[in-house]
């Protein structure tokens, strides 16, 4: 993963963490998806995304995301 993409992925991940903590689950999901698109090796983003999918009753997406991690 190029350095710039990795940096932007961490920013998107951190934004997702902040949004989720504030209860903004859909924007947090989008941020984690962006982080994964930028850096597919960012396992923490997969785990947090899967957790949010579970919280929003999207079990198939959660399972698929856990498996992708």
């Amino acid at each position: 993963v190029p350095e710039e993409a990795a940096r932007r992925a961490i920013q998107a991940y951190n934004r997702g963490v902040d949004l989720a903590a504030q209860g903004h689950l859909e924007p947090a999901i989008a941020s984690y998806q962006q982080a994964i698109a930028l850096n597919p090796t960012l396992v923490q983003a997969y785990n947090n995304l899967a957790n949010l999918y579970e919280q929003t009753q999207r079990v198939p997406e959660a399972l698929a995301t856990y498996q992708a991690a």
Side-chain angles (χ1 to χ4, degrees):
V1 176
E3 186 175 330
E4 178 62 18
R7 185 185 63 74
R8 290 177 42 220
I10 293 296
Q11 289 175 336
Y13 171 82
N14 288 336
R15 188 168 49 254
V17 170
D18 291 342
L19 288 164
Q22 296 169 18
H24 303 295
L25 302 186
E26 293 303 324
I29 286 171
S31 290
Y32 291 136
Q33 290 170 332
Q34 180 184 21
I36 291 166
L38 289 164
N39 182 356
T41 67
L42 191 57
V43 175
Q44 303 96 318
Y46 285 95
N47 287 332
N48 288 10
L49 177 59
N51 289 336
L52 289 184
Y53 280 146
E54 277 192 71
Q55 289 179 30
T56 57
Q57 309 304 311
R58 295 184 234 176
V59 176
E61 291 93 332
L63 292 174
T65 304
Y66 281 129
Q67 290 172 345

